[in-house]
Amino acid sequence: MKIAIVYNRDSQAVINIFGKPNREKYGLDTIEKIKDALEQGGHQVATFEGDKNIVSALEDFMPSVISGERPGLVFNLSYGIQGRARYTHIPAILEMLGIPYVGSGPETHAIALDKVLTKIVLMQRGLPTPKFAVLETPDFSLPLKENLSYPLIVKPKDEAVSYGLRIVRNDEELREGVAVIYDMFKTATLVEEYIEGREINVGLLGNDPVVSLPPCEVIFDEGERIYTFEDKKGLSGRLIRKEAPADLEEGLSRRISQLAIEAFQALGCSDSARVDFRLDDHGEPTILEVNSMASLTLEGSYVFAAEKIGLDYAKLVNKLIEVASLRYFGPLVGVEHPSYVPEDLPSRAFGYLTQNRDKMEEELKKWTNIQSWTGDPVGIGTMVRKMEETWTDLGLQLREDYSNRQSAWTWQTEAGLEGGTLFVIPLDVPHDGMGGYPVSYRKNLEWLYGEGIATSRAGLVCVMQTLRALQVYEVLHQKKIGVFLYADEGRGMRYSSKIFHQAAKAAGQVLVMHPGFRTGKVVDQHRGSRKYSLLLDGAVKRTGDQTGFDDAMSWFLDRAAKIKDLNETQQRVTIAVQDLHTDRYSILLPHRIRATIYITYLKIEMADKAEKTLFQLFESEDEHIQVNFQKLEERPPLNSSEDTALMVESFKAVSQHWRLPFSTESSLVPTAAGEVPLGIPVLSGMAPAGKDVYTPNESVHRGELLQRTMLLTQWLLQEEGIDPE
C-alpha cells in the first residue's frame, strides 16, 4: 500500500508569506522513524512537505487504483504553514483530491485548534471543563464579568504545544500575561480557572469502537504544575515524569476514559486524539483541552501509553493505518494487519503487482529510453543483449529452432511452449533510422510518453512483470510459456514471419502485445495490408513544354486523384498513397516518380480485387510513360474465430472476477496476429491502451499498465497445471 507522509518543517513554498505563522514542527528523526515503521509494515512510503506543491506531488505518487486494490493513504503530520486554521489545510486539500488520510477532518481540527470553541462544544454536551473568559485585547476591564477566581491560566485561544501558557495570580499578572500573548500571537486570550491537581492525559485510538489507551499521569517534581512549551521541548531544565497507567482508583480510571471518549466523539475526531484532564480538590476530572493531532514524538504521553498495552512504535504507527483504512474502506477491503498474508496464490500475486507498480514504471522508463529504430542495427543489438540478460534472470531458455538471432528470438520456460501460451513482442520502433531524434520518456497523471512506448515497450514490461510475479511464487516454470521477440515490425515482419509462423503453430494460443484501446479493449479482428512500390519513368520535359504527351508528374497526379474512388467502405477496403518522391534535372519537370501505395483489407478476395483495379489504373499506354509495380510486404488480416472466442470468454471470466476492464474491438492496423496459423487462438492489442501511436507524442495509458499486467497474470494462474504449493 502506498503511504505518503505529509508534514511541515522547512518549506515555505506558498504564494505569499501572509498570516499567522506555524510554530509547530515534527523533528526529522520522528518523521524518519514513522517512515521506517511503515516500511516495516510492508508499505511503499514517501515523504512530502505540505506546501503548495503537494497536489502535483501526490498526483505523481498516489495511484489511481484498480478495482480491489488497496488505495493509498496520507499519513498526516501537517500542522500547516500559516493561518489561524492551519491544521485544516492539508486535510481539506486531501478531501478535494479524493485521497484518504489518517487523522481527523478539517472541521474537527478547526474546532479543536480553537480552544474557546472546544470548551463551548464540551459544555453543550455536559462535559466538565473549567470556567473561562475570552479577552480579545490587553485593554480589558476588571473585574471580569465571568467572576473567575485566581489563580488563573492564560493561553492563546488558537495555539498548541502550550505556547504562551502561564499561571497568573492577580490582576497585574493577568494584564501582563494577556499583553504578552497579544503581542506575540496577535490573538485573543483564553482565561480559565486554574485547577490545582493531578494532570492526566488520555490517548484515544480507533473509531468504532474508540479505544482508550491507559490514562497517563504527568508528574511535576518541582516548579509550577503546568506542562509548558519549554518542558515539552526539554528546555526548562526540570524533569517531568510520566506514569501509565496512572495510579487511579479503578472506577475513576474508567470514568476518565469514558469522558475522553465522549469528548473525542463530541468534536468528531477520527483515528486518534489526546484529551488532557486535571483532577480538582475532590478528585473530580475536568477536561482542559482536546488535541486532535496527538503527538507521535517518542517523548509524548500518547506513545508512552501505547507501549503499555504492547503497541511499540512500529505497531502503533501501523495500527493508525489500519484504523484509518477500516474507517474508509470497511473490513477486508482496507489494510489488514501488517502480518496478514493472503493464502491463495492469485491474491498474493495481486498484492505483488500492486506493490510494485512504481518499479514497473521505472522499468518502462529504462526500456523506452533505449533507442532501437528498425534501421538502427546498433540500437537493436543493445535491446537484444539486455533482453538476453532479462530472460536468463527469469530462467527462460532460448529455442534455437525458433530463432535466427538476427530478426527473431524465441524464449521459453522449462515446461516449454508446445501447447502453451506464446507472447509476441516487437523490439524495434518503426523508423528507417535516417534523421530525426529519439523521444525520451516523460509522464503526467494519466499518460506515459516516449518513443515506441505503446507499440513495443509497454507490452514488453507487462510480460516481464507478469513472468516475475509467477517466478516470485515459484510457479513460472510449471507453465508452458514462450516469448517471441522480433526486430522487423517496421518492415512488416519480412524476415521473421516464417519463424514466427512455426513458433505460433507449436503454441496452443498466441497473445500479441500490440497496444489495445481504452477501457481494456483488445483486438480479436483487424485488417491486413499490402504495400507496393510504384516506379514511374517519363520523358524529360521543360516547364511550359506544350508537346502532345504528359509529363510524369501530371500523368501520376491525374491517376492518384482517382484512388479514393477505389475505396470500398462497406467491404472494408482502403487504398492510399503513403510516400511520394521525385527526380528531376535542374529546372526541368520531374521525370521519375517513386510512390508507396498502401491497401488495407479484411478479406483476401477483396484485396486481390483492389490490387487488380490499382494495377489497371496505373497501366500505361503512353510510350513515354513506363510504370513498374512491386509488392514490398503483405500482412494478413486477423479474423475472429470460434477458437479465439473461447479464449476471449476465459479472459472475460478473469476480468469479471478481478473487476478489470476487458472487451474486444476491431482494428484497422495489421499486427503479427495475422501471421498466426488457422486453428490457433490469437488475440492482439494485449498491451495497454495507446494514443498517438507511431508519432512523437506516442503514449500509453498509465492505469492500464497495471490493469493489463494484472489481467495477464491472473489469466495465466487460472489456467490448469498450477500447483500453488
Side-chain angles (χ1 to χ4, degrees):
M1 183 180 192
K2 283 196 167 186
I3 308 292
I5 300 174
V6 179
Y7 62 95
N8 293 104
R9 183 167 175 81
D10 301 318
S11 175
Q12 289 189 320
V14 295
I15 295 175
N16 293 302
I17 298 296
F18 184 79
K20 190 174 184 178
N22 170 43
R23 293 176 170 82
E24 296 179 77
K25 294 181 180 180
Y26 268 104
L28 291 177
D29 55 341
T30 301
I31 296 168
E32 192 63 31
K33 194 167 183 64
I34 292 172
K35 183 174 183 289
D36 291 343
L38 292 171
E39 289 174 343
Q40 289 176 33
H43 302 292
Q44 290 177 259
V45 189
T47 58
F48 303 98
E49 285 262 8
D51 55 26
K52 68 181 179 68
N53 300 311
I54 191 61
V55 174
S56 58
L58 291 176
E59 278 182 344
D60 188 53
F61 178 72
M62 281 295 179
S64 176
V65 297
I66 66 175
S67 181
E69 181 185 0
R70 298 170 181 173
L73 278 172
V74 166
F75 199 102
N76 182 30
L77 301 176
S78 173
Y79 293 122
I81 293 177
Q82 60 187 0
R84 296 193 180 279
R86 58 192 179 280
Y87 279 24
T88 70
H89 295 167
I90 288 300
I93 289 172
L94 295 175
E95 293 196 356
M96 178 189 72
L97 296 177
I99 298 177
Y101 56 92
V102 176
S104 295
E107 67 287 351
T108 294
H109 287 313
I111 297 171
L113 190 56
D114 189 320
K115 294 177 173 57
V116 175
L117 282 178
T118 298
K119 292 175 76 68
I120 292 172
V121 171
L122 295 177
M123 292 170 66
Q124 286 178 337
R125 293 294 187 96
L127 298 172
T129 186
K131 290 174 60 179
F132 72 100
V134 180
L135 302 178
E136 297 291 343
T137 69
D139 185 17
F140 58 88
S141 301
L142 289 171
L144 300 177
K145 62 180 180 180
E146 289 81 2
N147 195 28
L148 303 181
S149 301
Y150 289 108
L152 302 172
I153 285 280
V154 295
K155 61 181 88 170
K157 77 183 259 316
D158 51 8
E159 282 289 350
V161 203
S162 300
Y163 284 119
L165 183 68
R166 179 177 176 181
I167 299 177
V168 297
R169 304 183 184 279
N170 53 52
D171 292 351
E172 183 179 350
E173 290 180 0
L174 176 59
R175 288 194 181 278
E176 181 183 344
V178 173
V180 168
I181 289 171
Y182 187 80
D183 291 341
M184 182 176 294
F185 301 104
K186 298 297 186 290
T187 190
T189 298
L190 171 63
V191 182
E192 59 184 4
E193 291 189 339
Y194 173 61
I195 307 298
E196 181 72 44
R198 299 167 67 185
E199 181 158 332
I200 309 294
N201 297 340
V202 179
L204 298 154
L205 178 63
N207 298 287
D208 187 17
V210 184
V211 177
S212 168
L213 300 178
C216 176
E217 182 171 3
V218 181
I219 301 173
F220 306 92
D221 288 332
E222 58 180 306
E224 293 182 322
R225 298 168 63 83
I226 57 172
Y227 202 12
T228 66
F229 170 75
E230 290 73 19
D231 291 326
K232 293 179 180 179
K233 295 299 181 181
L235 304 174
S236 66
R238 63 173 178 167
L239 178 64
I240 307 294
R241 295 186 293 116
K242 297 181 181 69
E243 182 177 302
D247 184 13
L248 298 170
E249 187 270 329
E250 185 177 346
L252 178 58
S253 179
R254 286 199 303 268
R255 185 181 174 203
I256 290 175
S257 295
Q258 182 58 38
L259 287 172
I261 291 172
E262 291 177 16
F264 182 98
Q265 295 170 335
L267 269 66
C269 297
S270 299
D271 304 335
S272 69
R274 193 190 76 239
V275 181
D276 298 342
F277 292 84
R278 276 293 173 101
L279 302 182
D280 65 16
D281 294 340
H282 305 289
E284 289 294 315
T286 303
I287 299 173
L288 301 181
E289 60 182 75
V290 178
N291 295 276
S292 58
M293 292 184 68
S295 173
L296 293 177
T297 59
L298 292 177
E299 303 80 16
S301 61
Y302 192 86
V303 173
F304 184 78
E307 290 176 347
K308 304 305 178 182
I309 60 169
L311 290 176
D312 63 22
Y313 200 81
K315 289 180 180 177
L316 173 62
V317 169
N318 282 283
K319 186 67 175 178
L320 289 169
I321 295 293
E322 181 180 339
V323 299
S325 297
L326 186 64
R327 171 168 56 89
Y328 279 107
F329 316 119
L332 303 180
V333 179
V335 178
E336 295 84 1
H337 190 275
S339 64
Y340 168 77
V341 178
E343 294 182 1
D344 63 294
L345 184 56
S347 294
R348 283 189 282 164
F350 186 99
Y352 172 83
L353 293 174
T354 56
Q355 290 169 19
N356 285 276
R357 82 159 66 212
D358 281 355
K359 293 181 181 178
M360 283 184 65
E361 291 190 7
E362 283 301 311
E363 185 164 47
L364 181 58
K365 177 181 179 180
K366 179 187 74 173
W367 290 109
T368 301
N369 285 337
I370 298 175
Q371 177 185 320
S372 61
W373 292 339
T374 305
D376 176 14
V378 175
I380 295 291
T382 300
M383 282 291 291
V384 171
R385 287 193 299 274
K386 291 186 177 297
M387 284 290 99
E388 290 175 347
E389 295 173 5
T390 299
W391 304 128
T392 300
D393 288 344
L394 283 165
L396 271 61
Q397 304 161 348
L398 184 68
R399 280 289 299 261
E400 296 286 355
D401 51 340
Y402 298 143
S403 306
N404 63 18
R405 293 180 178 267
Q406 294 178 331
S407 61
W409 300 260
T410 302
W411 294 79
Q412 66 178 18
T413 59
E414 292 176 5
L417 65 83
E418 279 76 10
T421 301
L422 182 66
F423 290 101
V424 183
I425 309 169
L427 295 182
D428 65 314
V429 177
H431 192 294
D432 60 12
M434 302 297 291
Y437 298 92
V439 179
S440 60
Y441 176 92
R442 67 188 191 282
K443 64 182 178 180
N444 63 27
L445 180 61
E446 189 174 6
W447 296 92
L448 305 170
Y449 296 83
E451 192 165 74
I453 196 167
T455 51
S456 170
R457 293 351 188 206
L460 174 66
V461 170
C462 283
V463 172
M464 285 180 175
Q465 195 68 351
T466 292
L467 300 187
R468 285 198 186 99
L470 301 182
Q471 182 191 46
V472 165
Y473 298 107
E474 300 180 352
V475 296
L476 172 59
H477 294 288
Q478 298 177 37
K479 295 293 295 179
K480 293 182 178 182
I481 298 174
V483 181
F484 181 83
L485 306 170
Y486 64 101
D488 58 347
E489 171 66 21
R491 294 191 172 97
M493 300 186 76
R494 185 184 306 173
Y495 308 108
S496 65
S497 60
K498 184 177 181 180
I499 294 176
F500 171 59
H501 189 275
Q502 296 171 353
K505 187 176 181 180
Q509 51 208 0
V510 177
L511 300 176
V512 179
M513 303 308 291
H514 194 267
F517 299 98
R518 284 291 287 115
T519 66
K521 292 180 179 178
V522 303
V523 176
D524 63 347
Q525 178 174 276
H526 67 59
R527 295 191 189 187
S529 68
R530 293 179 183 178
K531 185 182 290 187
Y532 305 89
S533 171
L534 178 150
L535 178 63
L536 187 156
D537 278 306
V540 176
K541 295 191 70 172
R542 294 181 181 276
T543 303
D545 189 338
Q546 299 298 316
T547 54
F549 57 89
D550 287 333
D551 64 272
M553 178 65 83
S554 297
W555 192 92
F556 173 81
L557 292 177
D558 178 60
R559 284 151 181 80
K562 299 176 182 178
I563 284 180
K564 64 181 181 180
D565 297 329
L566 303 181
N567 292 329
E568 296 189 46
T569 305
Q570 296 298 322
Q571 298 296 330
R572 300 182 184 179
V573 176
T574 59
I575 307 176
V577 177
Q578 280 192 322
D579 293 307
L580 185 65
H581 301 277
T582 66
D583 292 335
R584 63 183 176 84
Y585 299 120
S586 186
I587 63 172
L588 302 181
L589 294 172
H591 63 277
R592 179 173 292 122
I593 309 294
R594 291 188 298 274
T596 302
I597 300 179
Y598 195 70
I599 296 178
T600 67
Y601 62 94
L602 192 59
K603 296 180 179 180
I604 292 178
E605 58 267 26
M606 295 306 301
D608 291 341
K609 177 183 175 182
E611 179 182 289
K612 182 179 179 180
T613 306
L614 179 67
F615 286 2
Q616 290 174 346
L617 177 64
F618 282 92
E619 200 171 70
S620 173
E621 298 179 355
D622 190 332
E623 62 178 339
H624 299 97
I625 301 291
Q626 302 295 321
V627 179
N628 179 54
F629 264 108
Q630 181 181 0
K631 186 186 293 186
L632 297 178
E633 67 180 55
E634 179 167 4
R635 307 200 72 173
L638 169 65
N639 289 292
S640 56
S641 67
E642 291 184 6
D643 296 315
T644 296
L646 291 175
M647 186 162 62
V648 167
E649 289 305 311
S650 68
F651 269 107
K652 282 184 178 178
V654 172
S655 69
Q656 289 169 3
H657 177 79
W658 293 96
R659 290 177 288 177
L660 297 167
F662 180 81
S663 59
T664 57
E665 179 70 272
S666 296
S667 173
L668 300 176
V669 181
T671 71
E675 302 283 354
V676 176
L678 294 176
I680 303 295
V682 56
L683 284 173
S684 186
M686 294 303 297
K691 184 175 70 170
D692 296 328
V693 176
Y694 303 120
T695 76
N697 290 319
E698 181 171 318
S699 59
V700 67
H701 191 265
R702 194 174 181 182
E704 289 201 10
L705 184 67
L706 177 60
Q707 289 176 346
R708 192 49 54 87
T709 305
M710 187 70 69
L711 181 66
L712 292 172
T713 303
Q714 300 298 347
W715 181 76
L716 286 171
L717 286 175
Q718 66 91 39
E719 296 283 278
E720 295 183 2
I722 282 295
D723 178 6
E725 300 303 321

